[in-house]
């Protein structure tokens, strides 16, 4: 089924991309803060993979997360990418400019009986889910709260739900088949188990990341998604949306996250690892790229490189499969 005529109908099975066509990839920063080393590493790998295959790389600014969007963060992200030497093709896509298309996809899902209004508050969901049998842990990933399906089949329409509860409803996708196995081109076969009906549009009416990313990737013909493996739980959700909305699902490549010496995702507690901070310290983009290449095991410590220097030798299977541990003093030269 293809609900959205603006998206090409499916021509291949989940996880397959069309053979013989140069890939189309994307860099998709969210302007919710400054770009840091973790972003730079993922963007560098996404850039290298596409450039090596002679494909097309798009830049999409994912600016739908209203309350978390920071003024000036889009311009700063663009400046950081340019500073690093990562370029892109075609005009920059701004996710919020496509709201009417996201809205259309939502309406199509409602009309097909695949989406329903949900008026539950976060607290109600947490309470309902705190019963031990409602918690799951999916191996590598921390347990997520499962939506227990309270509003499934409960309301005839968004309006009815709003009137009955006095609350603005969110919209959830009906997940009837939780297993969406997929092949990851770095990690291999993934189980892809979904834990419940997930949000398609938030209570303020904004499309969720899952919905917007699929509509946008499909419209842009994205055939390769390379991103950090903290997004793996999103992939089966996105593949299910491809099934419903149409479009050819991309090839997925999830690479290990960069963590601090304590094994936790690189964050403020590990010190400032923003690109802006390093730049202010007088560190050059060549040192950052060199340090990231060293982190990936491709270059000696202290190497100074441009992204283009790494294109010919880029090989996914030469990436470490363990989380990459970042320590400034180990990766950046100490002469600053
Ligand atoms: N905008 C998302 C983020 O910054 C990335 C989305 C994606 O790669 O699918 O986390």
């Amino acid at each position: 089924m293809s609900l959205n005529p603006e998206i090409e109908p499916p021509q291949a099975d989940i996880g397959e991309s069309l053979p013989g066509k140069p890939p189309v990839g994307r860099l998709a920063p969210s302007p919710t803060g400054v770009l840091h080393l973790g972003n730079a590493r993922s963007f560098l790998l996404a850039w290298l993979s596409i450039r090596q295959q002679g494909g097309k790389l798009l830049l999409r600014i994912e600016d739908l997360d209203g309350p978390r969007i920071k003024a000036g963060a889009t311009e700063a992200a663009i400046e950081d990418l340019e500073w690093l030497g990562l370029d892109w093709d075609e005009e920059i896509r701004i996710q919020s400019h496509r709201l009417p298309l996201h809205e259309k996809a939502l309406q199509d899902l409602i009309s097909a009986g695949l989406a329903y209004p949900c008026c539950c508050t976060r607290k109600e969901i947490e309470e309902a889910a705190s019963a031990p049998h409602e918690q799951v842990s999916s191996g590598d990933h921390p347990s997520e709260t499962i939506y227990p399906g309270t509003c499934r089949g409960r309301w005839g329409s968004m309006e009815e739900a709003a009137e009955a509860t006095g609350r603005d409803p969110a919209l959830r996708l009906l997940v009837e088949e939780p297993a969406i196995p997929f092949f990851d081109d770095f990690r291999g076969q993934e189980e892809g188990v979904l834990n419940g009906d997930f949000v398609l549009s938030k209570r303020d009416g904004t499309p969720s990341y899952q919905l917007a990313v699929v509509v946008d990737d499909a419209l842009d013909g994205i055939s390769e998604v390379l991103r950090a493996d903290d997004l793996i739980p999103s992939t089966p959700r996105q593949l299910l949306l491809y099934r419903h909305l149409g479009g050819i699902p991309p090839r997925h490549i999830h690479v290990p996250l960069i963590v601090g010496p304590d094994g936790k995702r690189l964050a403020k507690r590990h010190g400032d690892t923003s690109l802006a901070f390093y730049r202010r310290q007088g560190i050059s983009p060549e040192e950052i790229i060199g340090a990231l290449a060293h982190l990936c095991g491709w270059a000696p410590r202290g190497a100074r490189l441009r992204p283009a220097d790494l294109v010919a030798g880029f090989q996914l299977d030469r990436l470490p499969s363990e989380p990459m541990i970042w320590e400034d003093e180990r990766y950046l030269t100490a002469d600053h």
Side-chain angles (χ1 to χ4, degrees), residues 9-335:
Q11 296 169 23
D13 288 336
I14 295 291
E16 269 180 55
S17 53
L18 290 180
K21 263 190 158 181
V24 184
R26 42 54 161 199
L27 309 178
S30 297
T32 49
V34 290
L35 294 192
H36 52 75
L37 275 173
N39 304 118
R41 192 290 316 258
S42 299
F43 292 154
L44 173 65
L45 298 181
W47 185 94
L48 288 171
S49 176
I50 293 293
R51 291 291 178 242
Q52 191 192 55
Q53 298 170 79
K56 185 165 81 175
L57 189 68
L58 304 178
L59 173 61
R60 180 171 68 232
I61 306 292
E62 302 209 319
D63 61 342
L64 288 186
D65 197 353
R68 293 181 57 230
I69 301 299
K70 302 250 170 15
T74 295
E75 295 72 16
I78 293 171
E79 198 182 323
D80 283 343
L81 289 170
E82 286 173 339
W83 180 72
L84 281 175
L86 299 178
D87 63 352
W88 55 90
D89 306 303
E90 302 188 359
E91 75 281 7
I92 299 175
R93 271 62 167 171
I94 308 286
Q95 197 157 52
S96 59
H97 294 181
R98 286 183 168 160
L99 280 171
L101 296 170
H102 304 142
E103 186 51 39
K104 167 142 194 345
L106 291 170
Q107 287 306 330
D108 290 344
L109 291 166
I110 295 176
S111 307
L114 292 164
Y116 65 89
C118 167
C119 292
C120 299
T121 60
R122 188 183 296 260
K123 189 155 171 276
E124 285 167 349
I125 297 171
E126 272 160 18
E127 277 166 11
S130 62
H133 65 278
E134 298 287 9
Q135 295 282 348
V136 291
S137 170
S138 50
D140 297 350
H141 303 288
S143 64
E144 287 178 67
T145 306
I146 306 174
Y147 180 64
T150 321
C151 284
R152 252 194 195 207
R154 196 165 171 197
W155 315 109
S157 67
M158 296 294 266
E159 294 71 27
E160 185 194 316
E163 231 166 76
T165 62
R167 297 173 184 168
D168 292 325
L171 193 66
R172 286 183 185 271
L173 188 79
L174 203 61
V175 177
E176 303 205 271
E177 171 49 62
I180 312 279
F182 66 95
F183 191 79
D184 182 298
D185 272 1
F186 182 68
R187 297 164 56 96
Q189 190 60 40
E190 289 285 329
E191 277 184 8
V193 177
L194 284 176
N195 56 9
D197 299 347
F198 59 90
V199 171
L200 295 171
S201 75
K202 298 183 228 168
R203 295 180 60 189
D204 65 4
T206 322
S208 68
Y209 154 69
Q210 310 292 355
L211 186 278
V213 88
V214 170
V215 170
D216 289 11
D217 279 348
L219 283 167
D220 285 328
I222 299 297
S223 61
E224 178 174 307
V225 167
L226 188 157
R227 58 191 176 191
D229 59 13
D230 57 329
L231 281 169
I232 287 194
S234 290
T235 304
R237 294 179 181 150
Q238 294 167 10
L239 290 172
L240 183 56
L241 283 171
Y242 267 98
R243 275 193 200 166
H244 294 322
L245 293 172
I248 306 160
R251 160 189 194 219
H252 282 99
I253 304 165
H254 291 95
V255 295
L257 208 55
I258 299 196
V259 296
D262 57 358
K264 302 221 169 84
R265 166 205 271 276
L266 204 59
K268 288 231 169 70
R269 65 176 164 271
H270 301 111
D272 194 343
T273 61
S274 70
L275 298 176
F277 170 76
Y278 292 120
R279 189 158 62 205
R280 282 199 304 276
Q281 305 297 305
I283 292 176
S284 67
E286 289 79 6
E287 284 167 281
I288 299 284
I289 299 291
L292 292 173
H294 180 47
L295 182 70
C296 294
W298 303 336
R301 183 173 182 277
R304 292 175 187 227
L305 296 163
R306 300 288 298 158
D309 300 328
L310 295 165
V311 171
F314 174 74
Q315 269 176 278
L316 259 187
D317 57 10
R318 284 181 56 221
L319 262 187
S321 55
E322 298 302 313
M324 301 184 192
I325 302 169
W326 177 268
E327 287 167 276
D328 266 2
E329 55 282 9
R330 222 165 107 201
Y331 290 105
L332 283 171
T333 42
D335 54 354

